[in-house]
Amino acid sequence: GASTTRVTNSAGLVISSPWVFYQLWLFVAAGLYPHERHYVYTYLPLSTGLFVGGALFAYFAVIPFVLTFLLSFNLMLDLRSELKIGTWINFAAILCLSFGLSFQLPIVMKFLEQISIFEVKDYREKRRIAILVMSILSMLLTPSEPISMMLMLVPLVLLYEVGIWLCTGAPQAKSPFAVAKA
């Protein structure tokens, strides 16, 4: 049925993703200058590691807790739970994807600093606003219970600090958008 198709499509996407990404890279790399390829070679491993780390954190830490929390209501009401495999895979995939993408925060911060939209000083001064925005995103990207929200928010705050460190660690490259001073 429909759930079998969803499961096989998800499994096929996961299994074929390295080859698909490699083919996409070959297509994009043909149009890049050598210095642009250097940025990809520098940040792609970090980005991949952060994404995988976020997805694994969601799979091994967040999903078991969320399922226990949500299914505890059935136990409390003495109801039998019947999870559909398609629903479970969709839930797990969306949660892992949300965590993987949200863990890209240091890379996004570095990129915005590299193109002179933000400076390290801005990140430090606007830390409270950033934490508010991360709280709202954590609320929207996780199931509606406070512990999974905190399980996303705490790593994001730590990754925000890593992003500040990443921006201070390397000298800022000359932005093509910067105004030349005469």
Side-chain angles (χ1 to χ4, degrees):
S3 65
T4 306
T5 303
R6 203 171 322 143
V7 170
T8 55
N9 286 343
S10 297
L13 183 64
V14 169
I15 292 168
S16 67
S17 64
W19 180 253
V20 171
F21 287 135
Y22 176 68
Q23 292 300 315
L24 283 171
W25 168 246
L26 290 177
F27 176 75
V28 171
L32 295 177
Y33 291 109
H35 71 280
E36 293 170 331
R37 277 193 223 118
H38 170 72
Y39 285 124
V40 172
Y41 292 138
T42 301
Y43 293 113
L44 185 64
L46 179 60
S47 177
T48 303
L50 287 169
F51 184 87
V52 169
L56 289 174
F57 179 73
Y59 187 77
F60 289 110
V62 178
I63 290 174
F65 176 80
V66 170
L67 283 180
T68 302
F69 178 81
L70 294 175
L71 294 177
S72 70
F73 289 111
N74 288 354
L75 292 175
M76 193 170 59
L77 297 172
D78 199 30
L79 298 173
R80 191 178 90 175
S81 300
E82 293 186 16
L83 297 175
K84 293 181 179 178
I85 190 71
T87 305
W88 153 247
I89 288 178
N90 190 37
F91 171 76
I94 288 173
L95 204 57
C96 289
L97 181 66
S98 296
F99 271 79
L101 289 175
S102 68
F103 273 43
Q104 299 297 305
L105 181 62
I107 301 289
V108 171
M109 291 171 66
K110 180 65 176 173
F111 174 73
L112 293 174
E113 189 253 349
Q114 286 285 313
I115 62 172
S116 299
I117 291 179
F118 289 110
E119 295 177 4
V120 176
K121 171 182 66 92
D122 299 325
Y123 290 136
R124 288 187 179 124
E125 290 174 357
K126 307 294 184 202
R127 184 178 276 123
R128 290 177 13 186
I129 293 171
I131 291 173
L132 175 66
V133 169
M134 288 184 275
S135 299
I136 293 168
L137 287 173
S138 296
M139 179 187 66
L140 296 173
L141 295 175
T142 59
S144 56
E145 47 84 27
I147 302 300
S148 64
M149 179 184 151
M150 293 306 293
L151 287 172
M152 180 178 269
L153 178 61
V154 170
L156 282 180
V157 171
L158 294 173
L159 289 168
Y160 186 81
E161 297 302 324
V162 169
I164 291 174
W165 175 81
L166 188 64
C167 291
T168 56
Q172 183 174 347
K174 176 88 171 117
S175 170
F177 304 112
V179 178
K181 295 180 182 179

